[in-house]
Amino acid sequence: MRNRIVAGNWKMNLDHAQAKTLTQEIAQVLGDLPQNQRVMVCPPSIHLNTVAAIASEADGLEVGAQNMHQAASGAYTGEISAGMLKSYDIHSVLLGHSERREYFHEDSALLRQKVDAALENSLEVIFCFGEQLAQRENDTHFEVVSAQLKDALFHLTADQWSKIVLAYEPVWAIGTGRTATPEQAQEMHAHIRSFVRDQYGDSCADQLSILYGGSVKPNNAAEIFGQPDVDGGLIGGASLKTEDFLAIVAAMK
Ligand code: PGA
């Protein structure tokens, strides 16, 4: 059975006290999750230790990083490495988010290196990708998405794919309030799974969790998560409010 996952991407939001409060509120309510369900929050890196400490006292809440550098260590002012994350007991990292691609010029060649560095340190990678509005409008979205996957991930072995979660996030839906329809999400997720199946075979494709991200809210989560190839969501804005995030978690079933 595939894992169903709801992950909150806090981006560059919340001060220390706010991060603590939000984590405590989520942790308090979360309780036991069904065996195939996972819930994660991805705070800014400065809050990782605090958030992980609170989460470690609670059932079921996992903590991931939003980014990391590809090198093991060195003169890279302002950066953090996979090994550092590991040393704080962080087991997952988002890579390839569209904001990293757009504002920090991360391309597939760089993401490949980051993915390799994460896997070498046994971190799970939540790999984000998705087409821009113009690419959907000129009908190249399937090609674009396939190339993003192939260029950053198809050098991996089938075994390494057990540490990969995909998060399809159409750029036009991120932070815009304009979500993909459940049909658009399903169509793309089915394409992604079959693209991975062609390269890696049934067992890899059938085990792979593919999350949808882009304006997921309490009022649309259940319908999107109800699609056969959608295994949960990566949540931005709505992950900053306890009730909204918990309502989206509840929509996973
Ligand atoms: P959003 O962000 O839910 O605010 O659209 C999603 C994301 O960027 O992961």
Side-chain angles (χ1 to χ4, degrees):
M1 201 182 347
R2 284 201 287 276
N3 280 327
R4 291 173 73 71
I5 305 170
V6 165
N9 174 11
W10 294 358
K11 308 191 181 183
M12 195 175 73
N13 292 296
L14 308 181
D15 66 18
H16 192 215
Q18 291 167 328
K20 262 177 157 165
T21 305
L22 180 57
T23 313
Q24 278 159 349
E25 287 176 357
I26 294 167
Q28 247 163 34
V29 178
L30 205 55
D32 280 344
L33 290 164
Q35 226 202 331
N36 69 325
Q37 288 188 17
R38 297 174 53 193
V39 176
M40 188 185 297
V41 290
C42 301
S45 56
I46 195 167
H47 302 322
L48 277 168
N49 198 28
T50 298
V51 170
I54 299 169
S56 71
E57 303 284 306
D59 286 329
L61 185 59
E62 299 178 42
V63 182
Q66 294 177 14
N67 181 38
M68 47 159 258
H69 194 271
Q70 63 277 17
S73 63
Y76 301 102
T77 301
E79 295 291 326
I80 57 173
S81 70
M84 291 173 193
L85 292 174
K86 213 45 211 298
S87 72
Y88 277 95
D89 248 356
I90 303 298
H91 300 287
S92 303
V93 61
L94 305 180
L95 291 177
H97 192 279
S98 70
E99 289 147 18
R100 300 292 319 170
R101 293 174 190 259
E102 184 179 350
Y103 306 131
F104 302 93
H105 314 295
E106 295 196 2
D107 60 11
S108 294
L110 175 68
L111 290 170
R112 233 173 124 104
Q113 294 178 38
K114 290 196 175 198
V115 167
D116 289 345
L119 295 180
E120 272 161 30
N121 284 277
S122 309
L123 295 177
E124 171 185 66
V125 173
I126 302 180
F127 184 80
C128 309
F129 59 101
E131 82 284 359
Q132 298 183 358
L133 183 59
Q135 295 165 331
R136 180 159 283 263
E137 284 174 347
N138 67 20
D139 218 20
T140 53
H141 46 298
F142 291 114
E143 261 166 66
V144 167
V145 157
S146 301
Q148 287 173 324
L149 291 176
K150 183 163 170 278
D151 294 347
L153 298 176
F154 274 21
H155 64 292
L156 300 178
T157 64
D159 277 355
Q160 287 179 304
W161 273 77
S162 64
K163 297 287 263 182
I164 302 286
V165 169
L166 297 182
Y168 166 62
E169 301 200 298
V171 177
W172 46 271
I174 296 177
T176 58
R178 176 181 170 188
T179 182
T181 64
E183 295 73 27
Q184 284 173 323
Q186 169 55 26
E187 186 188 32
M188 182 58 89
H189 282 227
H191 166 78
I192 292 163
R193 200 178 303 285
S194 96
F195 190 64
V196 173
R197 191 182 304 280
D198 288 347
Q199 179 75 9
Y200 287 100
D202 287 340
S203 111
C204 185
D206 292 334
Q207 300 290 320
L208 178 66
S209 298
I210 310 177
L211 316 184
Y212 168 81
S215 298
V216 176
K217 306 288 175 205
N219 65 3
N220 59 24
E223 214 187 339
I224 296 172
F225 297 170
Q227 303 301 309
D229 285 294
V230 179
D231 305 307
L234 182 58
I235 320 300
S239 73
L240 297 172
K241 292 199 197 106
T242 308
E243 313 85 78
D244 286 1
F245 186 64
L246 290 170
I248 293 169
V249 166
M252 244 197 304
K253 5 179 213 342

Coordinates of all heavy atoms in Angstrom, one line a residue, residues 9 11 97 99 169 173-176 213-217 234-237, ligand 1:
N9 N 4.6 23.1 4.0 CA 5.8 23.9 3.6 C 5.6 25.3 4.1 O 4.8 26.1 3.5 CB 5.9 23.9 2.1 CG 7.1 24.8 1.6 OD1 7.9 25.3 2.4 ND2 7.1 25.0 0.3
K11 N 7.6 27.7 4.2 CA 8.4 28.7 3.5 C 9.1 29.7 4.5 O 9.4 29.3 5.6 CB 7.5 29.5 2.5 CG 6.7 28.5 1.6 CD 6.0 29.1 0.4 CE 5.3 28.0 -0.4 NZ 4.6 28.5 -1.5
H97 N 11.7 22.9 -5.2 CA 10.5 23.7 -5.2 C 10.6 24.9 -6.2 O 11.7 25.4 -6.5 CB 10.4 24.3 -3.8 CG 9.0 25.0 -3.6 ND1 8.7 26.2 -4.1 CD2 7.9 24.5 -3.1 CE1 7.4 26.5 -3.8 NE2 6.9 25.4 -3.2
E99 N 9.9 27.9 -6.2 CA 10.5 29.1 -5.7 C 12.0 29.0 -5.7 O 12.7 30.0 -6.0 CB 9.9 29.5 -4.3 CG 8.5 29.9 -4.4 CD 7.6 29.6 -3.2 OE1 8.1 29.3 -2.2 OE2 6.4 29.5 -3.4
E169 N 3.6 20.2 -8.5 CA 3.1 21.5 -8.2 C 3.1 22.4 -9.4 O 4.1 23.0 -9.7 CB 3.9 22.2 -7.1 CG 4.0 21.4 -5.8 CD 4.4 22.2 -4.6 OE1 5.5 22.8 -4.7 OE2 3.6 22.4 -3.7
A173 N -0.5 27.4 -9.9 CA -1.4 27.1 -8.8 C -0.8 27.4 -7.5 O -1.5 27.4 -6.4 CB -1.9 25.6 -8.9
I174 N 0.5 27.7 -7.4 CA 1.1 27.9 -6.1 C 0.9 29.3 -5.6 O 1.3 30.3 -6.3 CB 2.7 27.7 -6.2 CG1 2.9 26.2 -6.6 CG2 3.4 28.0 -4.9 CD1 4.4 25.9 -6.8
G175 N 0.2 29.4 -4.5 CA 0.0 30.7 -3.8 C -1.0 31.6 -4.6 O -1.0 32.8 -4.3
T176 N -1.6 31.1 -5.5 CA -2.5 31.9 -6.4 C -4.0 31.8 -6.0 O -4.8 32.5 -6.5 CB -2.3 31.5 -7.9 OG1 -2.7 30.1 -8.0 CG2 -0.9 31.8 -8.3
G213 N 0.5 19.7 -5.1 CA 0.7 21.0 -4.4 C 0.2 22.2 -5.2 O 0.4 22.2 -6.4
G214 N -0.3 23.2 -4.6 CA -0.8 24.4 -5.3 C -2.2 24.7 -4.9 O -3.2 24.1 -5.3
S215 N -2.3 25.6 -3.9 CA -3.6 26.1 -3.4 C -4.5 25.0 -2.9 O -5.7 25.1 -3.1 CB -4.2 27.0 -4.4 OG -3.5 28.1 -4.7
V216 N -3.9 24.0 -2.2 CA -4.8 23.0 -1.5 C -5.3 23.7 -0.2 O -4.5 24.3 0.5 CB -4.0 21.8 -1.1 CG1 -4.9 20.8 -0.3 CG2 -3.5 21.1 -2.4
K217 N -6.6 23.6 -0.1 CA -7.3 24.2 1.1 C -8.2 23.2 1.7 O -8.5 22.2 1.0 CB -8.1 25.4 0.6 CG -7.3 26.5 -0.2 CD -6.4 27.3 0.7 CE -5.5 28.2 -0.2 NZ -4.3 28.6 0.3
L234 N 1.3 18.7 -0.8 CA 2.3 19.6 -0.2 C 1.6 21.0 -0.1 O 1.1 21.5 -1.1 CB 3.5 19.7 -1.1 CG 4.7 20.6 -0.6 CD1 5.2 20.2 0.7 CD2 5.8 20.6 -1.6
I235 N 1.5 21.5 1.2 CA 0.6 22.5 1.5 C 1.4 23.8 1.9 O 2.2 23.7 2.8 CB -0.3 22.2 2.7 CG1 -0.8 20.7 2.6 CG2 -1.5 23.1 2.8 CD1 -1.6 20.4 1.4
G236 N 1.2 24.9 1.2 CA 1.9 26.1 1.6 C 1.1 27.0 2.6 O 1.0 26.7 3.8
G237 N 0.4 28.0 2.0 CA -0.4 28.9 2.8 C -1.3 28.3 3.9 O -1.3 28.7 5.1
Ligands
PGA1 P1 0.3 27.0 -1.6 O1 1.9 26.5 -1.8 O2 -0.4 25.9 -0.9 O3 0.4 28.2 -0.8 O4 -0.2 27.2 -3.0 C1 2.2 25.2 -2.1 C2 3.7 25.1 -2.2 O5 4.4 26.0 -2.6 O6 4.3 24.0 -1.8

